[in-house]
Amino acid sequence: MDKQINYNIRPLEEKDIHDMQSLFHSTVLNVNIKDYTKEEVEDWASCGDDMEHWKEILFNNQFIGAFNEQGCLIGYSSMNENGYMHSMFVHKDWQGKSVATQLLSEVEKIARQYKVKEITSEVSKTARPFFEHKEYVVECEQKQQANRLKLTNYKMKKVL
């Protein structure tokens, strides 16, 4: 069993948006393709093209990033004061290396600082097993609008 690696975690800022966009795009196209069609992942990835949208979600959520030893962004997640986790993405080359586990632990700490009682998120088919393993439960399956298409995901929650 590999020992837990502690990645450098820091808050993300507007200067990180390009790296966040790139990681999002790459992850959706290369990781989520196992659970969605090529057309679906291409449509979903295109949602990351709007710079103003990135600024808006960065402003409305507390984002944190995980960085490798070279200082490259390898994953990010977020939390807001209502207990909503907007994002959790891990670079395609860093899947299965505890990046998401460490990020989730950090955003759950942020949620506790906000004194929220439960965390909610909208989770892809790909991420659902990870979140279930971390004691999140599915409230419902839903169809969410990407750009042109509606994609299946799950509203999940965890009581703190």
Side-chain angles (χ1 to χ4, degrees):
M1 175 95 182
D2 291 338
K3 72 176 186 67
Q4 169 77 39
I5 298 169
N6 284 317
Y7 300 100
N8 180 29
I9 304 284
R10 72 161 170 80
L12 295 176
E13 306 164 40
E14 197 170 315
K15 69 181 171 95
D16 299 306
I17 288 176
H18 178 73
D19 291 338
M20 293 169 71
Q21 275 182 305
S22 177
L23 188 150
F24 167 79
H25 197 261
S26 174
T27 301
V28 168
L29 292 176
N30 292 284
V31 176
N32 297 98
I33 190 69
K34 70 180 195 194
D35 296 297
Y36 295 89
T37 67
K38 184 174 189 298
E39 186 182 22
E40 286 173 328
V41 295
E42 287 174 354
D43 189 56
W44 182 7
S46 74
C47 294
D49 295 344
D50 181 358
M51 184 62 78
E52 289 308 310
H53 178 68
W54 282 100
K55 290 177 183 174
E56 181 185 326
I57 63 171
L58 205 58
F59 179 77
N60 291 314
N61 299 275
Q62 186 172 340
F63 275 83
I64 58 168
F67 294 82
N68 67 10
E69 291 174 349
Q70 291 74 39
C72 297
L73 182 66
I74 57 171
Y76 64 86
S77 189
S78 68
M79 183 56 57
N80 71 23
E81 61 191 15
N82 299 317
Y84 181 71
M85 184 188 330
H86 181 280
S87 300
M88 170 72 78
F89 289 95
V90 174
H91 189 282
K92 66 182 178 66
D93 297 336
W94 290 84
Q95 298 286 314
K97 294 183 164 77
S98 299
V99 177
T101 297
Q102 189 176 344
L103 285 167
L104 187 62
S105 175
E106 292 296 321
V107 295
E108 287 180 356
K109 284 181 198 167
I110 294 167
R112 287 184 183 92
Q113 289 167 357
Y114 285 138
K115 299 190 178 347
V116 299
K117 300 291 183 241
E118 72 178 30
I119 295 172
T120 58
S121 191
E122 293 168 302
V123 173
S124 70
K125 293 179 196 176
T126 313
R128 178 181 169 178
F130 168 80
F131 282 99
E132 287 177 328
H133 184 69
K134 301 296 182 184
E135 301 174 2
Y136 285 72
V137 294
V138 173
E139 288 192 298
C140 66
E141 180 178 308
Q142 59 189 13
K143 294 281 190 186
Q144 285 292 94
Q145 190 73 39
N147 268 334
R148 295 175 298 102
L149 305 173
K150 286 186 178 270
L151 308 183
T152 299
N153 74 5
Y154 305 93
K155 187 167 185 189
M156 297 187 79
K157 75 174 183 181
K158 178 179 181 177
V159 176
L160 294 178

